[in-house]
């Protein structure tokens, strides 16, 4: 075992991350195809919504590095970190750095809004979200416009996220992608090192239960 690395990202954070990448990518593709693919587009939306619900729960109940309290910093700290990036004096973080923490919240919010508006949207042909009956056709048409516009904003934020990852991965030689695959990251110099249990029976039981709760939440919403 490499003593210079420690376990940071638990299996549920990693599964969430790559599942969200797959769900958004497939939702984009099926939305562009239209027609019979729209049923899969809706399923992708349900998956995104469930993943967001799970990540919100895990942000409070998961291991320390997964918790919002660990990586969401105050405005002053975040601005100070931004200045250190400009000066190329920013310290390494095991979890998300201050800017990255706020980016996580922004992405979760946009994913929730994107999937949420999709529940009320329609394509003016034969596909509509499961909650269109709650708002009527006129409001559904308006929400459909929001749904499309929000996706452009979501893509822009995803683009910024990818650019930041590449900056740290290639420019700073920080193994962010490897960390999100193996869960392990170099500890040397990190300023946010905390004792953490990222595996074991307790983590698995809690993760499975919260994943089930997320599924039930989405099922309940789409059946209103």
């Amino acid at each position: 075992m490499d003593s210079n690395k420690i376990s940071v990202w638990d299996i549920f954070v990693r599964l969430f991350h790559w599942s969200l990448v797959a769900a958004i990518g497939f939702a984009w593709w099926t939305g562009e195809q239209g027609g019979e693919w729209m049923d899969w587009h809706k399923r992708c939306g349900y998956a995104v919504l469930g993943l967001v619900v799970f990540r919100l729960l895990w942000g409070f109940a998961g291991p320390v590095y997964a918790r919002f309290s660990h990586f969401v910093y105050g405005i002053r700290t975040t601005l100070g970190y931004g200045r250190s990036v400009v000066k190329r004096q920013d310290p390494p973080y095991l979890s998300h750095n201050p800017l990255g923490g706020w980016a996580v919240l922004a992405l979760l919010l946009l994913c929730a809004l994107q999937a949420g508006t999709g529940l009320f949207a329609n394509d003016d042909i034969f596909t509509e979200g499961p909650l269109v009956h709650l708002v009527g056709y006129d409001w559904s048409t308006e929400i459909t416009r929001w749904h499309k516009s929000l996706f452009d904003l979501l893509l822009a934020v995803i683009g910024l996220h990818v650019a930041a990852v590449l900056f740290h991965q290639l420019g700073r030689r920080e193994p962010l992608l490897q960390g999100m695959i193996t869960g392990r990251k170099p500890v040397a110099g990190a300023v946010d090192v905390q004792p953490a249990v990222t595996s074991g029976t307790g983590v698995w039981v809690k993760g499975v239960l919260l994943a089930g709760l997320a599924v039930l939440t989405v099922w309940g919403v789409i059946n209103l």
Side-chain angles (χ1 to χ4, degrees):
M1 181 177 68
D2 186 351
S3 60
N4 294 321
K5 292 184 178 182
I6 64 172
S7 181
V8 175
W9 299 126
D10 61 84
I11 185 63
F12 291 99
V13 166
R14 286 177 279 153
L15 286 174
F16 159 80
H17 181 274
W18 296 115
S19 296
L20 188 63
V21 170
I24 291 176
F26 197 45
W28 186 6
W29 186 83
T30 53
E32 291 295 322
Q33 302 308 304
E36 295 181 354
W37 284 105
M38 292 304 293
D39 284 339
W40 281 102
H41 183 76
K42 290 167 62 176
R43 294 183 186 115
C44 288
Y46 303 155
V48 169
L49 193 59
L51 287 166
V52 169
V53 172
F54 171 79
R55 188 62 184 92
L56 291 175
L57 295 171
W58 203 236
F60 293 100
V64 63
Y65 290 113
R67 294 184 184 182
F68 299 128
S69 60
H70 182 75
F71 64 78
V72 177
Y73 296 84
I75 297 300
R76 181 177 298 179
T77 300
T78 303
L79 292 176
Y81 176 80
R83 288 191 292 269
S84 71
V85 171
V86 173
K87 297 177 182 178
R88 296 182 64 84
Q89 297 174 348
D90 49 304
Y93 283 77
L94 284 174
S95 182
H96 301 291
N97 62 53
L99 290 175
W102 284 100
V104 168
L105 294 185
L107 282 168
L108 288 175
L109 175 61
L110 286 172
C111 286
L113 290 173
Q114 183 66 31
T117 54
L119 299 176
F120 301 91
N122 72 85
D123 66 356
D124 269 332
I125 304 175
F126 60 84
T127 301
E128 61 181 29
L131 302 185
V132 169
H133 65 280
L134 296 179
V135 296
Y137 178 78
D138 290 340
W139 265 107
S140 174
T141 300
E142 182 63 26
I143 294 173
T144 302
R145 295 194 187 97
W146 304 344
H147 185 65
K148 295 177 180 178
S149 298
L150 279 168
F151 190 66
D152 292 335
L153 179 58
L154 176 60
L155 287 180
V157 174
I158 289 173
L160 288 174
H161 171 67
V162 171
V165 169
L166 291 176
F167 170 75
H168 284 274
Q169 182 81 27
L170 302 178
R172 298 296 178 83
R173 305 296 182 183
E174 297 178 30
L176 300 187
L177 290 174
Q178 294 92 322
M180 194 52 72
I181 293 172
T182 66
R184 297 173 61 78
K185 294 182 66 179
V187 70
V191 298
D192 62 336
V193 180
Q194 294 285 338
V197 178
T198 60
S199 61
T201 303
V203 172
W204 275 98
V205 169
K206 190 185 298 183
V208 170
L209 288 175
L210 292 182
L213 179 58
V215 170
L216 288 174
T217 299
V218 174
W219 180 85
V221 168
I222 65 178
N223 285 282
L224 288 174

